[in-house]
Amino acid sequence: MKVLVINCGSSSLKYQVIDSESEKVLAKGLCERIGIDGRLVYQNVSKGLDKEVTDAAMPTHKEAVQMVLDALVNDKTGALSDLSEIEAVGHRVVHGGEKFTSSVVITEEVINAVEECNDLAPLHNPANIIGIRACQALMPNVPMVAVFDTAFHQTMPSKAYMYGVPYECYENYKVRKYGFHGTSHSFVSKRACELNGTDYDKTKTIVCHLGNGASICAVENGKSVDTSMGLSPLEGLIMGTRSGDIDPSAVEFIAKKENLDFAGVMNLLNKKSGVEGISGVSSDFRDLKAASDEGNERAQLAIEMFCYRVAKYVGSYIAAMNGVDVIAFTAGIGENTGWLREKVCNYFGYLGLKLDDEANKVAGEDKLISASDSKVKVYCVPTNEELAIARETVALV
Ligand code: AMP
């Protein structure tokens, strides 16, 4: 079956066409600047062709989806001979609140329920719905599935997801930890257990999803039992530009000093903080490493803070699960930076965790990176959220 996977933002739309039998990507790309002017990036991967970039007006997401569909059946570079080959569409949806504990086939009721979660993800959910509507308008008879970033974490116990605020905030407004990157944490934890040759249902795994957005998840016997992001993706690790955990009083203090309203201070915490805010160099770890190697002390500090926070979360999840069998590193930073994995793992010598220095040079490949006598097995596992969405979609349709 060929599946179109859609990840829709407010002014962008990423897509892939995946053949579910071979699990190969046939075509991929993105539409950018929707509603502003419009640009389509398209690549026929199955034929190994180069990316094509086309500037064209995209007043709404509907025109964007139409351009993607046209490109997919284009005489010269199309990856499909006919659009009827697309038998299902899988949509990434960011927030499923407490309503969605797994992926679902999209119906009008599902869309209404996703809309009810808009409050919890005001930047993402409305865009996800726009993408669903645009695809429905152009492919009315194709079944569609919603795959939620939050669903995997719905197995967390209440002691992990509740905040220490009046219970009424939960009862009345559903204020609690939800967690994100669920598709990635689920995919990577399963893959790590597969590589480890252990039963997913009997393994304690910690997944470090370290990308521009970063989160950690404790997966006990196949279930998420805790994760570092919260009501929103701002909680937890220090990220590219997000602060992660901070004393709420510091937020009020900064807002007063800088004369910022809620929107202003949230912008500071989401977009101007993290390793970029600390270093003043960049949110990209390649730039940070280069600056750090040249002696830039704030870049060095940002790296140390990032790794320390990762280690603190990993340590707390070892306590939460009363042990750990497997630690997996994934996403842009986790998959590509042996030096950073080493810095994090150095905190766990007391557990008998030992890396294999040669194996730890790996980038972007599934690989065991711990030494043969390490008490904890450590893996590099590239994440593949699109493939995970395609698998869920096929399973449901
Ligand atoms: P992601 O959000 O998963 O796409 O990860 C993006 C981040 O991964 C970038 O901001 C970089 O900091 C980091 N990254 C990607 N490739 C490398 C690399 N080869 N070395 C160091 N960092 C990398």
Side-chain angles (χ1 to χ4, degrees), residues 271-320:
K271 305 249 169 79
K272 297 185 179 164
S273 300
V275 291
E276 181 171 302
I278 296 156
S279 67
V281 172
S282 166
S283 62
D284 192 305
F285 274 71
R286 287 162 286 205
D287 303 334
L288 283 177
K289 178 75 164 80
S292 158
D293 288 347
E294 281 165 16
N296 182 316
E297 287 180 11
R298 274 170 56 189
Q300 289 165 357
L301 173 65
I303 290 170
E304 291 305 325
M305 287 171 67
F306 181 89
C307 294
Y308 181 65
R309 182 75 59 90
V310 171
K312 281 213 296 188
Y313 265 98
V314 171
S316 68
Y317 291 163
I318 294 172

Side-chain angles (χ1 to χ4, degrees), residues 173-212:
Y173 316 120
K174 295 285 171 232
V175 173
R176 50 160 285 180
K177 180 188 276 284
Y178 290 94
F180 297 86
H181 292 141
T183 315
S184 175
H185 287 302
S186 163
F187 179 89
V188 171
S189 56
K190 276 190 198 118
R191 182 75 188 124
C193 286
E194 226 172 79
L195 294 168
N196 199 45
T198 43
D199 216 335
Y200 191 48
D201 298 336
K202 292 187 185 132
T203 309
K204 294 171 182 177
T205 311
I206 295 175
V207 178
C208 304
H209 178 112
L210 309 179
N212 196 34

Side-chain angles (χ1 to χ4, degrees), residues 323-346:
V324 63
D325 302 307
V326 171
I327 297 176
F329 286 90
T330 193
I333 303 159
E335 290 166 24
N336 291 302
T337 54
W339 61 267
L340 186 139
R341 291 187 296 246
E342 185 183 339
K343 264 184 180 297
V344 171
C345 289
N346 279 345

Side-chain angles (χ1 to χ4, degrees), residues 92-158:
R92 173 182 183 223
V93 179
V94 168
H95 219 305
E98 287 189 327
K99 290 180 204 300
F100 297 103
T101 56
S102 61
S103 307
V104 287
V105 174
I106 296 173
T107 60
E108 224 20 62
E109 277 144 39
V110 166
I111 296 178
N112 292 340
V114 172
E115 247 160 19
E116 284 171 29
C117 302
N118 279 2
D119 242 11
L120 294 167
L123 295 180
H124 294 103
N125 271 30
N128 299 152
I129 295 170
I130 289 170
I132 292 170
R133 293 272 188 222
C135 288
Q136 283 180 327
L138 296 166
M139 293 177 275
N141 299 318
V142 179
M144 308 210 179
V145 168
V147 180
F148 300 91
D149 268 22
T150 50
F152 182 61
H153 303 298
Q154 279 295 306
T155 48
M156 283 188 288
S158 51

Side-chain angles (χ1 to χ4, degrees), residues 68 164 235 256:
V68 172
E235 190 182 344
K256 281 187 177 158

